[in-house]
Amino acid sequence: MIIIEKPYVSEFLIDSIVQNDWAVLENEALEIADIEEGAFETIDTDTAKEYYSQVEYPIIYSNSENSINWVLENLPDSNLSRYIKLFKDKLKFRKMLKDVFPEFFFKEVEYDNLSKLPLEELKYPFVLKPAIGFLSLGVHTVHNDEDWKHTLVELEHEMKLAQKFYPEAVVNVSKFIIEEYIQGEEYAVDAYYDKNGNPVILNIFHHPFLNSKDVSDRIYVMSSEIMIKYMAKFAILLKVIGDKNNIRNFPLHIELRVTDDERIIPIEVNPMRFAGWCTTDVSKYAWGINVYECFMKQTSPDWNEILSKASNEMFYFSMAEVSSNIDRDKISGFEYDNWLANYSNVLEVRRINPKHHPLFAVIFGSTTNKDEVNRILQLKTKDYTIFNV
């Protein structure tokens, strides 16, 4: 079963559902989505609840973590709910892996108590983020006392945005985690556990940043070089996590960092989906695969064949985010053509309504020039935003 939810569903996902005749849960998001009536079979909540409550390891995919509420409410005692609770709460996730990473520092803090923390107790640098979060909302890298004071001011505004755009199960602003800053390169992996509990990797993204303070989701890069270097190593970590929790038939998007001495440390896991906002679709351009079909049909890409024929191109998805410090009511447009002129080979553009979402657009592209990635990282969406006079 597929659960379609806000904030965004791609045409590629809808086409995949239609072509494969997958059943889709009836819900409000499906009703308001721009989908032709009768395009695919739907299942009402009662029928889905009755059937999936009897399946030990159900195969259910969603494009959005907004679907978490439905699972927790209708399948509360299922393995699926157990996986979600483990991964969505970053504190539970850290505690689960404490025996694997015993030296990793993390601390739980209530939002109301953040401003009360004695400065002498803060060990810089550290990362602050909601215990239950999404994208980069509320995420800050803090290097000193001045950073901390500035972070507390920004956080108040960001948490209001989080409450506006996402349900509590996706972003919970009441509880935060302070954890040590992991030096190294960040990566993200789209994968699923099959019926036997074996991890199947579908994508590996390098997530570069402009500097040590940058926590944006501006660009995620994929290449055959990255896949060859890290696929086996990341699969070992996924296997450790899966075996500790008996995970089966479960899709996820895991973020991790690789330190200078090649230690692999997980950051967080996003349950029930691959890369958010259907950005996982970039796989069709990079590898010629349909990740939804891979999970739903329990198949693994023939990576030996795919990578042996791959070019030296880097593929990526890039997000044009709405600056958090601007008044959305004053936005009248965005200079899309000028923004896209910074991309050498645009494969697809998905325009997003900035009035209701934190993005102007998602761009799929490719390049052979690493300087292009650096240039995209330096772009400021505010410079391309059109405001009411």
Side-chain angles (χ1 to χ4, degrees), residues 61-187:
Y61 182 85
S62 180
N63 63 304
S64 167
E65 290 175 47
N66 287 21
S67 62
I68 286 174
N69 277 335
W70 186 91
V71 176
L72 297 180
E73 290 175 6
N74 292 283
L75 305 172
D77 300 319
S78 66
N79 280 309
L80 189 55
S81 286
R82 179 170 63 86
Y83 302 153
I84 289 171
K85 292 174 183 177
L86 169 65
F87 290 133
K88 194 56 188 171
D89 190 322
K90 295 177 178 63
L91 283 164
K92 286 184 179 179
F93 181 60
R94 282 284 174 227
K95 291 174 182 176
M96 181 269 294
L97 286 174
K98 192 165 180 60
D99 62 330
V100 183
F101 302 96
E103 298 179 354
F104 188 84
F105 169 78
F106 63 93
K107 176 184 179 67
E108 175 184 356
V109 184
E110 297 293 325
Y111 174 69
D112 293 338
N113 292 331
L114 284 174
S115 60
K116 302 173 186 176
L117 284 175
L119 294 180
E120 58 270 18
E121 290 186 9
L122 301 176
K123 184 180 178 181
Y124 303 113
F126 64 82
V127 176
L128 173 75
K129 54 189 175 184
I132 298 175
F134 181 59
L135 288 177
S136 298
L137 283 169
V139 180
H140 292 268
T141 302
V142 184
H143 291 267
N144 50 51
D145 291 352
E146 193 62 32
D147 271 359
W148 180 236
K149 294 175 183 177
H150 182 65
T151 293
L152 292 175
V153 174
E154 286 194 342
L155 203 58
E156 184 176 357
H157 175 65
E158 290 171 350
M159 292 304 92
K160 290 179 181 177
L161 284 179
Q163 290 174 313
K164 177 180 179 181
F165 290 132
Y166 301 104
E168 190 171 304
V170 177
V171 181
N172 188 324
V173 301
S174 65
K175 185 169 60 175
F176 278 72
I177 179 172
I178 290 177
E179 61 183 34
E180 69 176 79
Y181 177 78
I182 307 168
Q183 299 285 350
E185 293 297 312
E186 184 164 307
Y187 294 85

Side-chain angles (χ1 to χ4, degrees), residues 76-322:
D77 300 319
S78 66
N79 280 309
L80 189 55
S81 286
R82 179 170 63 86
Y83 302 153
I84 289 171
K85 292 174 183 177
L86 169 65
F87 290 133
K88 194 56 188 171
D89 190 322
K90 295 177 178 63
L91 283 164
K92 286 184 179 179
F93 181 60
R94 282 284 174 227
K95 291 174 182 176
M96 181 269 294
L97 286 174
K98 192 165 180 60
D99 62 330
V100 183
F101 302 96
E103 298 179 354
F104 188 84
F105 169 78
F106 63 93
K107 176 184 179 67
E108 175 184 356
V109 184
E110 297 293 325
Y111 174 69
D112 293 338
N113 292 331
L114 284 174
S115 60
K116 302 173 186 176
L117 284 175
L119 294 180
E120 58 270 18
E121 290 186 9
L122 301 176
K123 184 180 178 181
Y124 303 113
F126 64 82
V127 176
L128 173 75
K129 54 189 175 184
I132 298 175
F134 181 59
L135 288 177
S136 298
L137 283 169
V139 180
H140 292 268
T141 302
V142 184
H143 291 267
N144 50 51
D145 291 352
E146 193 62 32
D147 271 359
W148 180 236
K149 294 175 183 177
H150 182 65
T151 293
L152 292 175
V153 174
E154 286 194 342
L155 203 58
E156 184 176 357
H157 175 65
E158 290 171 350
M159 292 304 92
K160 290 179 181 177
L161 284 179
Q163 290 174 313
K164 177 180 179 181
F165 290 132
Y166 301 104
E168 190 171 304
V170 177
V171 181
N172 188 324
V173 301
S174 65
K175 185 169 60 175
F176 278 72
I177 179 172
I178 290 177
E179 61 183 34
E180 69 176 79
Y181 177 78
I182 307 168
Q183 299 285 350
E185 293 297 312
E186 184 164 307
Y187 294 85
V189 182
D190 286 342
Y192 74 88
Y193 291 94
D194 66 16
K195 63 182 180 181
N196 298 314
N198 296 314
V200 177
I201 290 179
L202 301 174
N203 236 329
I204 299 176
F205 304 96
H206 177 215
H207 184 190
F209 295 100
L210 184 60
N211 52 48
S212 62
K213 292 185 178 182
D214 183 16
V215 295
S216 71
D217 295 298
R218 172 57 58 77
I219 190 168
Y220 286 75
V221 182
M222 54 208 293
S223 69
S224 58
E225 180 182 0
I226 293 170
M227 298 295 287
I228 292 169
K229 184 175 182 180
Y230 287 115
M231 190 180 302
K233 295 178 181 179
F234 292 169
I236 291 172
L237 175 61
L238 285 168
K239 182 64 174 171
V240 170
I241 294 172
D243 287 350
K244 283 175 70 69
N245 300 281
N246 190 29
I247 304 174
R248 299 167 189 267
N249 291 347
F250 189 69
L252 56 81
H253 177 79
I254 182 171
E255 299 175 4
L256 42 82
R257 285 213 171 187
V258 178
T259 65
D260 293 339
D261 58 357
E262 289 296 305
R263 288 185 302 133
I264 300 170
I265 303 176
I267 299 173
E268 63 182 52
V269 175
N270 304 119
M272 280 193 71
R273 64 166 176 84
F274 302 134
W277 287 79
C278 290
T279 50
T280 189
D281 296 358
V282 71
S283 304
K284 68 179 180 180
Y285 295 110
W287 316 123
I289 65 173
N290 183 321
V291 295
Y292 308 116
E293 290 182 351
C294 288
F295 171 61
M296 297 296 289
K297 296 181 179 181
Q298 298 274 289
T299 60
S300 176
D302 185 345
W303 286 116
N304 289 332
E305 176 74 10
I306 292 171
L307 296 177
S308 68
K309 296 180 178 179
S311 68
N312 62 346
E313 277 186 292
M314 294 179 290
F315 291 83
Y316 57 76
F317 70 81
S318 174
M319 293 185 167
E321 75 286 353
V322 180

Side-chain angles (χ1 to χ4, degrees), residues 278-279 281-282 285 316-317 345-348 350 362-365:
C278 290
T279 50
D281 296 358
V282 71
Y285 295 110
Y316 57 76
F317 70 81
N345 184 30
V346 175
L347 301 170
E348 184 178 341
R350 297 173 173 177
V362 173
I363 300 98
F364 293 164

Side-chain angles (χ1 to χ4, degrees), residues 32-75:
I32 63 177
D34 186 18
I35 302 170
E36 183 180 349
E37 186 176 352
F40 40 67
E41 177 190 356
T42 59
I43 304 177
D44 63 73
T45 285
D46 290 340
T47 302
K49 181 178 179 178
E50 180 180 2
Y51 175 76
Y52 286 106
S53 61
Q54 300 176 48
V55 178
E56 188 173 13
Y57 302 107
I59 296 179
I60 298 178
Y61 182 85
S62 180
N63 63 304
S64 167
E65 290 175 47
N66 287 21
S67 62
I68 286 174
N69 277 335
W70 186 91
V71 176
L72 297 180
E73 290 175 6
N74 292 283
L75 305 172

